[in-house]
Amino acid sequence: MSSSEINKNEVDIVIGALNADLTQFLNSWRPFFTGFHLIIVKDPELKEDLNIPEGFDVDIYSKPDMEKVVGASNATMFSGYSCRYFGYLVSKKKYIVSIDDDCVPAKDPKGLLVDAVSQHVSNLENPATPLFFNTLYDPYCEGADFVRGYPFSLRSGVPCAASCGLWLNLADLDAPTQALKTEQRNTSYVDAVMTVPLKAMLPVSGINIAFNRELVGPALVPALRIAGEGKVRWETLEDVWCGMCLKHISDHLGYGVKTGLPYVWRNERGDAVESLRKKWEGMKLMEKSVPFFDSLKLPESARTVEDCVVELAKAVKEQLGSDDPAFTQAADAMVKWVQLWKSVNSSG
Amino acid sequence: MVEPANTVGIPLNHTALLKDELDIVIPTIRNLDFLEMWRPFLQPYHLIIVQDGDPSKTIAVPQGFDYELYNRNDINRILGPKASCISFKDSACRCFGYMVSKKKYIFTIDDDCFVAKDPSGKAVNALEQHIKNLLCPSSPFFFNTLYEPYREGADFVRGYPFSLREGVSTAVSHGLWLNIPDYDAPTQLVKPKERNTRYVDAVMTIPKGTLFPMCGMNLAFDRDLIGPAMYFGLMGDGQPIGRYDDMWAGWCVKVICDHLGLGVKTGLPYIYHSKASNPFVNLKKEYKGIFWQEDIIPFFQSAKLSKEAVTVQQCYIELSKMVKEKLSAIDPYFDKLADAMVTWIEAWDELNPATKA
């Protein structure tokens, strides 16, 4: 789907600014961001002013805006990588595309720059197929289809809630892995989009993601903060937790989550070995989260996204709260998030 | 347009992996000329040829291949009355080859499948990739967004639980096809010219609890781990259905693998599928299946094997009972199929007395 076919009015590109100078980032994305409305949210802990090049249709939000909308005490929920969630909250558009500020457009095997925005929107606009695996991957793309043996009643698919993209160069590996394989770079361009099957869990990365805000907005929860959470992806799990919640809720409500294209090119930043020196709480929390989500059943009565988040928060508090205070805090944050979402979005 | 690889001049692979532990099972009614093209990659291996159709016909096997060949007379002689479970006039008969094999691994390929080219133009050694897939673990409990984590240049991504990174044993490696894609008859009729030209450079584990359409054209599996579940059903002559043999096996295999904690992979390797079968003939064969699969799929999706079913055979027998109980109402065919599933296991155990589960 070319960018001329997308209704640009339906999309907000939300960028979380953890670094002040966005010149290189925005200039590199200019061919693909032009014509779209941008929401740039400044990390409330970032002191310097943002440096943003001319020529973009952009709204910038920073700490004072957050405090005005959600109150001073709640503004902390948007620190670090979670700042982008404020953008999700105040957006009025149907689709959100979010890319980390250390990524630039990737090149496909033909040497052409990848229009990640168009690919994400195309993924979101086409149905997902979580109920049965298609071995030729995305059945709706040019040159492909459902294979023999794929039940006909499942071929119309379900609405797509989220599109999880990938990364060339510096893949989204955790600190121990990257520290062990310092030279490893992802050079493999896998030309496929696929739906992650029903009940299958996956580690959602916030580095290159898009979602249908109208469909599942409140399910993207800025909730889990690990102790000593930092300003590099190796020192956070907020997106992974958010993704576990999103996938579970999508499964429950009959929506799909896609993964695969588009790729972005992720640049070096930070030092995996440095990040490793900090005690990595994330590992422990993931180990506890997995069996929790695996066995979790949301009540049938939870039919809206907001209800699902609240029920999920309840279950987190009950079943994981005693394991680690991070979970209790996450549960509270999720409840607060739903309240915020309702109040911000009902007042228009 | 996509072309098959030209394998002339590729040296014979003298260090062929698992050459004494793997059999290649090929069903055929015509000839095996296609093996010429595969020679550099497949000659080191032993072939089991299952000749369908007229047993009086002689199948010419290219020089230099080590093989055993079974026609219908052989099948009847070896299995006696149990031969009724092996399909006639349908490539489903290939599963007889799985049963008589004495090796740990099987690679099965159709006689209209040639060697594919990867995007760099290099000939794809499909068997080598299947072996790689089978020899390294699967990861069915959590989806890795960078696909196969054990491949060169890949790994588990951030957030992937460490306790799940050891993976489980791989039972099945399901390969794909360039050129003629494996479409059903209705799709073939609507898109007669569509060719698969997209080379997706990935192998991935199909998550636990997810069913898939398993195609028998380019397939490898660990016979010790899952062999008895690879029954390709009752198809062809005298049967109301065709072209669902591999599908049926795939659904049974996946349910059992999920139950036993084994992995199923899909993706690479690609082969080049050269022949499109006649869509009108296919439609007649598939017709009932198209309706029946609407009930069959929910059946497999909700099938729960008991804790006591710990061997593949036990799982399969339990499954056959469920088929009889739940699917016979759709058509008496399923009653017959359930019986054939039991016959298959009896025959398997007879021919493989020391088989470990």
Side-chain angles (χ1 to χ4, degrees):
Chain A
M1 189 187 244
S2 68
S3 67
S4 54
E5 291 165 42
I6 301 172
N7 183 355
K8 296 187 178 180
N9 290 325
E10 290 192 306
V11 183
D12 261 337
I13 299 177
V14 175
I15 307 296
L18 273 70
N19 298 287
D21 191 357
L22 294 176
T23 322
Q24 205 187 15
F25 170 75
L26 285 173
N27 279 333
S28 73
W29 283 102
R30 193 182 288 275
F32 307 122
F33 283 6
T34 302
F36 289 95
H37 176 244
L38 268 59
I39 292 178
I40 298 182
V41 187
K42 188 176 157 189
D43 175 6
E45 289 166 5
L46 185 62
K47 300 282 181 287
E48 308 103 274
D49 286 335
L50 293 183
N51 190 356
I52 293 174
E54 294 285 317
F56 289 96
D57 172 18
V58 58
D59 281 310
I60 302 168
Y61 295 91
S62 55
K63 193 164 167 195
D65 302 299
M66 292 177 191
E67 290 175 342
K68 202 162 65 170
V69 173
V70 305
S73 56
N74 287 330
T76 49
M77 112 191 293
F78 302 112
S79 71
Y81 279 105
S82 297
C83 62
R84 58 170 62 179
Y85 292 88
F86 185 77
Y88 303 166
L89 187 63
V90 300
S91 164
K92 307 252 174 295
K93 301 289 171 67
K94 180 172 181 183
Y95 301 120
I96 302 264
V97 175
S98 230
I99 297 175
D100 272 7
D101 62 4
D102 57 356
C103 298
V104 298
K107 285 207 175 113
D108 70 15
K110 294 196 177 83
L112 300 169
L113 285 179
V114 173
D115 183 350
V117 179
S118 290
Q119 181 67 58
H120 272 307
V121 176
S122 170
N123 292 349
L124 292 172
E125 299 229 294
N126 281 308
T129 50
L131 300 174
F132 205 83
F133 191 88
N134 193 43
T135 48
L136 281 187
Y137 314 112
D138 181 2
Y140 305 105
C141 79
E142 191 67 42
D145 213 305
F146 291 97
V147 299
R148 174 175 59 98
Y150 202 105
F152 279 81
S153 62
L154 298 181
R155 294 191 188 199
S156 32
V158 300
C160 181
S163 163
C164 305
L166 295 173
W167 343 268
L168 289 174
N169 194 40
L170 209 63
D172 192 13
L173 307 178
D174 52 51
T177 309
Q178 192 73 65
L180 191 65
K181 298 179 167 185
T182 42
E183 298 309 309
Q184 178 153 308
R185 298 293 178 269
N186 187 21
T187 56
S188 175
Y189 187 98
V190 178
D191 185 14
V193 178
M194 65 196 78
T195 301
V196 182
L198 178 72
K199 297 226 178 56
M201 292 179 282
L202 76 153
V204 169
S205 168
I207 295 174
N208 171 19
I209 189 171
F211 61 97
N212 184 328
R213 192 184 164 279
E214 273 176 20
L215 202 61
V216 290
L220 277 95
V221 289
L224 188 72
R225 311 201 77 103
I226 52 182
E229 179 157 303
K231 310 292 183 190
V232 285
R233 279 289 179 195
W234 291 309
E235 294 168 16
T236 176
L237 264 189
E238 56 86 12
D239 47 354
V240 178
W241 175 264
C242 166
M244 303 277 274
C245 296
L246 171 63
K247 180 61 165 58
H248 199 91
I249 292 173
S250 294
D251 285 349
H252 179 78
L253 295 177
Y255 304 140
V257 171
K258 292 184 185 173
T259 187
L261 303 178
Y263 280 88
V264 296
W265 179 274
R266 187 159 173 249
N267 285 314
E268 330 284 305
R269 190 165 77 185
D271 180 346
V273 177
E274 259 315 305
S275 296
L276 204 52
R277 285 190 220 283
K278 304 187 180 180
K279 188 152 160 257
W280 205 60
E281 293 289 321
M283 214 180 314
K284 217 176 24 156
L285 294 176
M286 272 316 291
E287 292 303 329
K288 300 224 154 78
S289 306
V290 171
F292 165 74
F293 279 103
D294 202 22
S295 59
L296 178 69
K297 279 192 185 18
L298 292 174
E300 271 313 305
S301 52
R303 294 319 318 163
T304 66
V305 176
E306 289 89 339
D307 286 349
C308 288
V309 176
V310 169
E311 289 295 329
L312 193 44
K314 224 188 286 179
V316 169
K317 201 165 211 164
E318 274 165 27
Q319 294 171 43
L320 293 175
S322 51
D323 281 333
D324 197 299
F327 289 123
T328 316
Q329 284 157 25
D332 291 339
M334 286 162 75
V335 172
K336 198 179 293 182
W337 176 250
V338 169
Q339 290 164 353
L340 281 174
W341 192 276
K342 281 183 180 156
S343 76
V344 169
N345 289 286
S346 59
S347 55
Chain B
M1 263 325 292
V2 63
E3 300 284 329
N6 179 359
T7 54
V8 170
I10 295 181
L12 188 57
N13 182 7
H14 287 290
T15 57
L17 287 172
L18 301 182
K19 105 172 119 69
D20 300 316
E21 294 177 77
L22 184 143
D23 275 337
I24 302 177
V25 172
I26 306 169
T28 189
I29 52 169
R30 355 172 209 243
N31 60 63
L32 294 171
D33 294 348
F34 85 115
L35 282 175
E36 259 323 317
M37 176 189 259
W38 284 99
R39 193 182 283 280
F41 303 140
L42 300 191
Q43 193 178 308
Y45 298 87
H46 179 71
L47 311 179
I48 294 180
I49 298 161
V50 184
Q51 179 184 344
D52 197 14
D54 182 2
S56 65
K57 187 168 176 216
T58 309
I59 303 284
V61 185
Q63 279 266 4
F65 281 95
D66 171 44
Y67 69 96
E68 55 196 281
L69 187 147
Y70 300 92
N71 61 27
R72 192 72 210 183
N73 295 338
D74 299 313
I75 294 172
N76 290 337
R77 176 179 46 86
I78 292 169
L79 293 184
K82 297 198 178 72
S84 60
C85 75
I86 303 296
S87 303
F88 185 53
K89 294 232 178 106
D90 193 287
S91 64
C93 65
R94 75 176 79 209
C95 63
F96 178 77
Y98 309 158
M99 193 193 276
V100 298
S101 166
K102 302 269 168 280
K103 304 286 175 61
K104 181 162 163 64
Y105 300 100
I106 298 278
F107 169 47
T108 185
I109 186 171
D110 278 11
D111 62 9
D112 60 353
C113 293
F114 297 167
V115 178
K117 279 195 283 202
D118 73 14
S120 73
K122 185 165 165 240
V124 174
N125 184 343
L127 181 51
E128 192 177 68
Q129 182 64 54
H130 274 304
I131 291 172
K132 280 193 186 136
N133 294 348
L134 289 172
L135 290 182
C136 84
S138 296
S139 47
F141 305 118
F142 207 86
F143 188 87
N144 192 44
T145 47
L146 278 187
Y147 315 111
E148 172 82 288
Y150 309 100
R151 274 184 94 191
E152 189 68 43
D155 214 304
F156 292 99
V157 301
R158 176 177 55 100
Y160 201 104
F162 279 80
S163 62
L164 297 178
R165 294 191 188 199
E166 229 176 75
V168 298
S169 301
T170 302
V172 179
S173 166
H174 176 263
L176 296 174
W177 347 271
L178 291 175
N179 196 42
I180 308 287
D182 189 24
Y183 287 161
D184 50 53
T187 309
Q188 272 183 292
L189 286 163
V190 168
K191 294 177 161 190
K193 291 217 164 76
E194 186 148 276
R195 299 289 177 263
N196 187 19
T197 57
R198 178 180 264 118
Y199 188 99
V200 178
D201 186 17
V203 182
M204 63 199 76
T205 301
I206 301 181
K208 178 178 178 180
T210 302
L211 293 176
F212 77 116
M214 184 178 86
C215 173
M217 253 197 270
N218 172 21
L219 182 71
F221 59 94
D222 184 323
R223 209 176 146 276
D224 283 354
L225 286 182
I226 200 63
M230 279 286 182
Y231 174 47
F232 271 38
L234 290 172
M235 306 279 146
D237 211 41
Q239 307 299 344
I241 190 174
R243 284 172 54 87
Y244 272 88
D245 51 336
D246 42 5
M247 297 298 139
W248 181 262
W251 298 326
C252 294
V253 159
K254 190 57 167 60
V255 167
I256 294 175
C257 282
D258 285 350
H259 177 76
L260 295 178
L262 301 169
V264 173
K265 293 183 182 175
T266 187
L268 301 180
Y270 281 88
I271 49 89
Y272 180 95
H273 186 207
S274 66
K275 264 198 189 63
S277 39
N278 183 311
F280 296 97
V281 171
N282 288 344
L283 187 58
K284 282 200 186 140
K285 290 182 184 174
E286 290 172 14
Y287 179 76
K288 292 211 162 126
I290 287 172
F291 296 93
W292 289 350
Q293 78 188 6
E294 295 298 332
D295 288 311
I296 296 172
I297 299 301
F299 163 77
F300 279 107
Q301 280 171 335
S302 58
K304 278 195 184 19
L305 298 169
S306 73
K307 272 198 330 285
E308 290 74 38
V310 297
T311 67
V312 178
Q313 289 92 325
Q314 286 168 346
C315 291
Y316 204 73
I317 297 288
E318 246 182 51
L319 213 44
S320 74
K321 291 198 182 114
M322 292 190 235
V323 170
K324 201 174 251 257
E325 198 191 304
K326 304 225 170 98
L327 295 181
S328 295
I330 302 175
D331 193 277
Y333 166 76
F334 290 100
D335 203 50
K336 249 185 12 174
L337 179 59
D339 289 339
M341 288 168 77
V342 175
T343 307
W344 159 265
I345 294 293
E346 287 169 357
W348 181 285
D349 282 344
E350 221 175 84
L351 261 58
N352 299 283
T355 303
K356 297 186 291 294

